[in-house]
Amino acid sequence: MKKFIDSPDTLLETSLQGFAKAHADIVQLNNQPHFIRRNSVKAGKVALISGGGSGHEPLHAGFVGFGMLDAACPGQIFTSPTPDQMMAAAQAVDGGAGVLFIVKNYAGDVMNFEMAAEMLDLPNATVLVNDDVSLPKTHSIGRRGVAGTLVVEKIVGAAAEQGYDLAACKALGDKAVNATASMGVALSSCTVPALGHPTFSIADDEIEMGVGIHGERGRHTGKLVSASEIVEQLAGHIHEELNPHSGQQVLLHVNGFGATPLVELHLVYELAWQYWHKRGVNIVRSLVGNYTTSLDMAGCSLTLTLLDVEMLRLWDAPVNTAALRWGC
Amino acid sequence: MKKFIDSPDTLLETSLQGFAKAHADIVQLNNQPHFIRRNSVKAGKVALISGGGSGHEPLHAGFVGFGMLDAACPGQIFTSPTPDQMMAAAQAVDGGAGVLFIVKNYAGDVMNFEMAAEMLDLPNATVLVNDDVSLPKTHSIGRRGVAGTLVVEKIVGAAAEQGYDLAACKALGDKAVNATASMGVALSSCTVPALGHPTFSIADDEIEMGVGIHGERGRHTGKLVSASEIVEQLAGHIHEELNPHSGQQVLLHVNGFGATPLVELHLVYELAWQYWHKRGVNIVRSLVGNYTTSLDMAGCSLTLTLLDVEMLRLWDAPVNTAALRWGC
């Protein structure tokens, strides 16, 4: 394992300290338990909290700030955060209008956020993100939450900033989840520091279609084909799921898993743009880059969100976080 | 080679098309010859142009926009752009106040920008960036330009936006270069698509100290040591070069080479912060992320810039580009 690391035991804590220092104008780090929170709480605003295993940076801590999250609870790498983190975060950023949890659909995350919600002495609600179409809708534990989580956090974050109440934020979050579909492909595995070796093996001429953001198997292991063929497959499954009509306004998000250069991500974006352009879909907003990563995995995902007037307005609203910033 | 690619021959062009579409609110792509330019030219403003081999994205096209570059000329991967690109870009974004080239110190880039400058029928000047302290100052072809280029482009970009004339922009650029030092380390090689295999070899327990952004050898090939020891070495060489006094205000930039996760980059940032904090240096601004990359190389560099009041003000000035955005 070749990594910048002193010890797997101290990596996350030291990294969080660095993150908080580098972005001290926006966030601060709470210790015991760990969470990243906005510098200031806005009274009367619904508080938005997310979290999950680390290793997907900038998700979620990089999305804490004006117009997006109020706090993020980082677990150890690829490990769920604990209920005490979520409760402490909720109490710290509560603005008196309730707390909304945005949770990616993984058993540990769901269980711990549920536990925190039950024990919390504040009005609260949860939006469950399950945008990964590589698994069937009927899958026993449901579909995974992947790169579409950013879209949900951005849109609901803007709404909360604009004064939507808890019920309206929850309804909007569910609408954004239903309008969003993602699918990813891995060219390489990734290495969890505490493990010290790649989490799965993949041959030099193979790719993993429908991979999860922790390297979970998806649709199938296939041969390495051209970028055009890969994009056809990913976009095809997403298109089938969302079935956008001709003229439909959409957001297209190409997300890198960590080790794929931007020159390739922009190639993938162009090919995906062509795919939907041919079908009359109107790509009005775009986001290309490494936002929901899997440590040092090479690969990427496509995310499409069907935008209505409200969601487009909220996507465009000002945001000021470490990783997403405009209009501020 | 596992990459998202149809053919090495079409990768760059398709990628540039994707980049321009994804950021159509800020830039446009010129074909034959290729350059990325701002959507609108500001009359009476010095035009800032940079460029160089591709494979370092988001540098330079990701820095085109308000408050930074007016145009960027992308060569093929790790290959200098040609004088006709630079001349066409200069003519396209000339606002009547002259053209400043910001050039990283590589033989091909320097030669081609010089040729363009000579043939250009406009007042022009050049700032040469040579911030890499891994080579001695007396090196025959001089020191390489690496991640400090971003700092120079941001500071001079803000000045040009605020109405500095050509001579003032040139003097400021030289000042920023002299105030900036960088050094990098590679944990892995990178793969140029047209080549198809890693550009250099490095053993599983080795690191390349003082590596260039194309994988050029630097100070020495050493054993993989702890992140703390690596940061001590990198920071030590930079500190020796700039010799900041106690209380000196600085910008600390930790730049990822492409395949190193943010969780590690923030760890490196924290360790570098501690290094300079112990020495009484005042880190007032920070930037952590993948900005000057080497395709899929694992590794990172540290950059320190000594800030005076003018440079701090210009660093903070509004910027609106694909990769760097604040205050807009």
Side-chain angles (χ1 to χ4, degrees):
Chain A
M1 175 178 68
K2 289 177 98 170
K3 288 188 175 293
F4 295 106
I5 192 169
D6 285 341
S7 148
D9 296 337
T10 58
L11 169 61
L12 181 63
E13 169 138 19
T14 312
S15 178
L16 287 171
Q17 286 167 353
F19 176 81
K21 283 199 185 82
H23 301 288
D25 54 327
I26 300 174
V27 299
Q28 50 194 264
L29 170 65
N30 187 81
N31 289 301
Q32 298 178 323
H34 279 145
F35 58 86
I36 294 281
R37 56 160 290 182
R38 267 203 232 194
N39 280 336
S40 60
V41 169
K42 193 169 164 184
K45 176 190 163 304
V46 172
L48 254 59
I49 299 178
S50 192
S54 294
H56 306 300
E57 289 72 24
L59 180 92
H60 297 273
F63 304 145
V64 173
F66 180 87
M68 217 161 162
L69 298 178
D70 292 276
C73 303
Q76 286 294 321
I77 289 181
F78 291 2
T79 303
S80 296
T82 51
D84 63 311
Q85 291 177 267
M86 300 152 189
M87 288 174 63
Q91 282 152 354
V93 299
D94 168 37
V99 173
L100 186 72
F101 289 148
I102 300 180
V103 183
K104 303 193 298 302
N105 188 31
Y106 296 97
D109 289 6
V110 171
M111 189 179 70
N112 289 354
F113 271 105
E114 262 178 17
M115 212 177 295
E118 274 170 28
M119 293 167 73
L120 210 58
D121 200 21
L122 296 167
N124 67 76
T126 297
V127 171
L128 192 69
V129 185
N130 53 4
D131 54 316
D132 185 351
V133 301
S134 59
L135 297 180
K137 240 182 185 156
T138 53
H139 188 270
S140 59
I141 54 164
R143 287 168 162 176
R144 303 175 292 230
V146 291
T149 312
L150 175 157
V151 181
V152 178
E153 292 178 357
K154 171 68 185 79
I155 287 174
V156 182
E161 209 69 62
Q162 293 177 13
Y164 281 45
D165 68 15
L166 184 59
C169 285
K170 156 74 178 159
L172 174 68
D174 290 342
K175 179 171 85 166
V177 170
N178 287 328
T180 299
S182 302
M183 188 165 159
V185 58
L187 304 193
S188 80
S189 183
C190 59
T191 298
V192 176
L195 196 63
H197 59 78
T199 52
F200 65 98
S201 65
I202 184 162
D204 279 351
D205 63 345
E206 280 179 354
I207 59 176
E208 185 63 37
M209 288 297 297
V211 73
I213 56 174
H214 311 88
E216 306 93 327
R217 289 277 149 102
R219 291 257 172 173
H220 69 279
T221 308
K223 289 292 169 198
L224 176 61
V225 291
S226 71
S228 290
E229 288 169 82
I230 291 172
V231 169
E232 283 276 331
Q233 287 186 48
L234 296 177
H237 290 301
I238 292 169
H239 192 82
E240 196 180 320
E241 177 74 24
L242 292 176
N243 200 17
H245 62 78
S246 180
Q248 168 74 50
Q249 293 199 323
V250 300
L251 161 69
L252 172 57
H253 172 29
V254 174
N255 173 57
F257 285 156
T260 288
L262 276 178
V263 69
E264 292 174 52
L265 295 182
H266 283 115
L267 171 95
V268 166
Y269 172 84
E270 173 66 18
L271 298 173
W273 191 94
Q274 297 291 353
Y275 177 94
W276 275 298
H277 182 66
K278 259 185 242 162
R279 286 159 180 81
V281 174
N282 188 9
I283 298 164
V284 293
R285 293 295 180 273
S286 303
L287 187 70
V288 184
N290 296 288
Y291 292 97
T292 302
T293 62
S294 305
L295 293 168
D296 51 357
M297 186 185 285
C300 73
S301 59
L302 302 185
T303 296
L304 202 74
T305 298
L306 310 183
L307 294 170
D308 59 16
V309 174
E310 179 186 39
M311 289 198 287
L312 178 56
R313 175 178 61 78
L314 294 168
W315 177 261
D316 285 346
V319 61
N320 187 31
T321 68
L324 218 61
R325 195 177 300 183
W326 57 71
C328 280
Chain B
M1 176 177 67
K2 289 176 98 169
K3 288 187 175 293
F4 294 106
I5 193 170
D6 284 342
S7 148
D9 297 338
T10 58
L11 168 61
L12 181 63
E13 170 139 18
T14 311
S15 178
L16 286 171
Q17 286 167 352
F19 176 81
K21 283 200 184 85
H23 301 287
D25 52 329
I26 300 176
V27 299
Q28 50 194 265
L29 170 66
N30 187 81
N31 289 302
Q32 299 177 325
H34 278 145
F35 59 87
I36 294 282
R37 57 160 290 179
R38 265 202 234 193
N39 279 337
S40 60
V41 169
K42 193 170 164 182
K45 177 190 161 304
V46 172
L48 255 59
I49 299 178
S50 192
S54 295
H56 306 299
E57 289 70 24
L59 180 93
H60 296 274
F63 306 144
V64 173
F66 180 87
M68 219 161 159
L69 299 177
D70 293 277
C73 304
Q76 285 294 321
I77 288 182
F78 291 1
T79 304
S80 296
T82 52
D84 64 310
Q85 290 177 267
M86 300 153 190
M87 290 175 61
Q91 283 152 353
V93 299
D94 168 38
V99 173
L100 186 72
F101 288 149
I102 299 181
V103 183
K104 302 193 298 303
N105 188 31
Y106 297 97
D109 289 6
V110 171
M111 189 179 72
N112 289 355
F113 271 105
E114 261 176 18
M115 212 177 293
E118 273 169 30
M119 294 167 73
L120 210 59
D121 199 21
L122 296 167
N124 65 77
T126 295
V127 171
L128 193 67
V129 185
N130 53 3
D131 55 316
D132 185 352
V133 300
S134 60
L135 298 178
K137 238 180 184 157
T138 53
H139 188 269
S140 60
I141 54 164
R143 287 170 162 174
R144 302 174 293 229
V146 289
T149 311
L150 174 157
V151 180
V152 178
E153 293 178 355
K154 171 67 185 81
I155 287 175
V156 182
E161 208 69 62
Q162 293 177 14
Y164 281 44
D165 68 15
L166 184 59
C169 285
K170 156 75 178 157
L172 174 68
D174 290 342
K175 179 171 85 165
V177 170
N178 288 327
T180 300
S182 303
M183 188 165 160
V185 58
L187 305 193
S188 81
S189 182
C190 59
T191 298
V192 176
L195 197 61
H197 58 79
T199 52
F200 65 99
S201 65
I202 186 163
D204 279 351
D205 63 345
E206 280 179 353
I207 59 176
E208 186 63 36
M209 287 296 298
V211 73
I213 56 173
H214 312 87
E216 306 94 323
R217 287 278 148 103
R219 291 257 170 171
H220 69 278
T221 308
K223 288 293 168 196
L224 176 61
V225 289
S226 71
S228 291
E229 289 171 81
I230 291 172
V231 169
E232 282 277 329
Q233 288 186 47
L234 296 177
H237 291 300
I238 292 169
H239 193 80
E240 195 180 322
E241 177 74 23
L242 292 177
N243 199 18
H245 62 76
S246 178
Q248 169 73 53
Q249 294 199 323
V250 300
L251 161 69
L252 172 57
H253 172 30
V254 174
N255 172 58
F257 285 157
T260 289
L262 275 179
V263 69
E264 293 175 51
L265 296 181
H266 282 115
L267 172 94
V268 166
Y269 172 84
E270 172 66 18
L271 298 173
W273 191 94
Q274 297 290 353
Y275 177 94
W276 275 297
H277 181 66
K278 262 186 240 163
R279 285 158 181 80
V281 174
N282 190 8
I283 298 163
V284 294
R285 293 295 180 274
S286 304
L287 187 69
V288 183
N290 296 290
Y291 291 97
T292 302
T293 61
S294 304
L295 293 168
D296 51 358
M297 186 185 285
C300 73
S301 59
L302 301 184
T303 296
L304 202 74
T305 298
L306 310 183
L307 294 170
D308 60 14
V309 173
E310 180 187 38
M311 288 198 287
L312 179 55
R313 175 178 60 79
L314 294 168
W315 176 261
D316 284 346
V319 60
N320 188 31
T321 67
L324 218 59
R325 192 176 303 181
W326 57 71
C328 280

